[in-house]
């Protein structure tokens, strides 16, 4: 939320006339202790010492916790599968892969992460969590079951699916599932 009106510092008064966030101020104050607010001050009003421009960022405060099950078989009979297989997330969300059934793990797929994101690799039969900190596509595999098509795709923010699989070597079943998920994203 951005306020470009003159507002009292330390959030004492959000009732600036025509301020688009004024109606939400009590809710914002109630939900967010001052210690959790990330306030960026971009200037002060020339007429007073009041803040004139500021932006709140809520990424870490409102980040979602997304759980993905690692299964031998889902309700539809699909074998060796992440549920969900296509994970829609926003920057700052935490995605946790749960070994619901034994013998599974989650790891990033080489060449299938947004720029600047470090690879990750969980241990067999142990949950692994990642915070998705960049927009883009994150390819995920269960290493022991990659040949069986056990892959997932995390889509963060607005994504471009063009060329995502270019130069990436995947077993036939995994590639088919990736293509299916990319087609779903492209259709949105």
């Amino acid at each position: 939320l951005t306020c470009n009106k003159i507002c009292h510092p330390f959030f004492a008064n959000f009732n600036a006339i025509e301020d688009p966030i004024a109606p939400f101020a009590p809710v914002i104050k109630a939900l967010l202790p001052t210690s959790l607010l990330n306030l960026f001050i971009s200037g002060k009003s020339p007429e007073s010492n009041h803040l004139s421009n500021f932006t709140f960022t809520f990424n870490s405060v409102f980040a979602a916790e997304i759980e993905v099950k690692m299964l031998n078989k889902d309700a539809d009979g699909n074998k060796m599968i992440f549920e969900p297989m296509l994970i829609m997330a926003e920057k700052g969300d935490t995605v946790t892969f749960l070994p619901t059934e034994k013998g599974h793990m989650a790891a990033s797929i080489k060449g299938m992460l947004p720029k600047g994101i470090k690879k990750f690799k969980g241990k067999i039969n142990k949950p692994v969590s990642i915070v998705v900190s960049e927009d883009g596509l994150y390819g995920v595999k269960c290493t022991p079951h990659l040949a069986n098509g056990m892959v997932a795709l995390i889509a963060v923010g607005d994504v471009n699916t063009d060329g995502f699989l270019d130069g990436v070597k995947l077993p036939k079943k995994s590639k088919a599932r990736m293509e299916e998920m990319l087609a779903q994203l492209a259709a949105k």
Side-chain angles (χ1 to χ4, degrees), residues 126-163:
K126 300 286 183 192
V128 63
S129 295
I130 64 163
V131 176
V132 291
S133 57
E134 294 295 330
D135 286 346
L137 296 170
Y138 297 65
V140 181
K141 65 183 176 182
C142 172
T143 304
H145 301 113
L146 181 62
N148 302 95
M150 194 163 179
V151 292
L153 190 61
I154 304 170
V156 180
D158 292 326
V159 295
N160 180 1
T161 61
D162 295 339

Side-chain angles (χ1 to χ4, degrees), residues 6 43-53:
I6 297 173
K44 290 191 175 191
S45 167
E47 300 85 27
S48 70
N49 287 329
H50 296 259
L51 302 179
S52 59
N53 298 311

Side-chain angles (χ1 to χ4, degrees), residues 8 14 21 31 55 106 108 185-186:
H8 193 279
F14 275 94
I21 68 166
L31 291 174
T55 303
S108 56
L185 282 172

Side-chain angles (χ1 to χ4, degrees), residues 2-183:
T2 303
C3 172
N4 289 318
K5 308 292 181 201
I6 297 173
C7 299
H8 193 279
F10 308 111
F11 321 108
N13 180 6
F14 275 94
N15 297 320
I17 297 173
E18 297 177 16
D19 183 343
I21 68 166
F24 304 103
V27 174
I28 293 169
K29 285 188 209 177
L31 291 174
L32 301 172
T34 306
S35 62
L36 293 178
L37 289 175
N38 188 357
L39 176 66
F40 292 93
I41 302 169
S42 59
K44 290 191 175 191
S45 167
E47 300 85 27
S48 70
N49 287 329
H50 296 259
L51 302 179
S52 59
N53 298 311
F54 56 85
T55 303
F56 291 103
T57 59
F58 296 107
N59 288 351
S60 61
V61 177
F62 290 112
E65 299 281 335
I66 301 167
E67 292 186 346
V68 179
K69 296 176 185 173
M70 296 183 273
L71 304 170
N72 293 334
K73 190 166 149 184
D74 70 6
D76 296 327
N78 298 306
K79 295 180 181 177
M80 301 302 157
I81 194 155
F82 288 97
E83 188 178 272
M85 211 169 36
L86 177 58
I87 302 120
M88 305 302 291
E90 294 297 327
K91 248 188 204 180
D93 289 353
T94 300
V95 179
T96 301
F97 295 90
L98 301 170
T100 311
E101 296 172 350
K102 291 186 178 196
H104 300 293
M105 52 86 72
S108 56
I109 300 174
K110 185 178 180 180
M112 297 180 80
L113 291 174
K115 210 175 203 178
I117 298 297
K118 293 181 181 177
K119 64 183 180 178
F120 65 92
K121 182 178 179 181
K123 295 183 180 193
I124 291 182
N125 299 327
K126 300 286 183 192
V128 63
S129 295
I130 64 163
V131 176
V132 291
S133 57
E134 294 295 330
D135 286 346
L137 296 170
Y138 297 65
V140 181
K141 65 183 176 182
C142 172
T143 304
H145 301 113
L146 181 62
N148 302 95
M150 194 163 179
V151 292
L153 190 61
I154 304 170
V156 180
D158 292 326
V159 295
N160 180 1
T161 61
D162 295 339
F164 184 67
L165 293 178
D166 292 351
V168 177
K169 291 185 179 186
L170 289 173
K172 187 177 179 179
K173 287 183 181 179
S174 291
K175 186 173 184 180
R177 282 188 175 166
M178 275 292 176
E179 287 171 343
E180 177 186 324
M181 290 181 281
L182 291 169

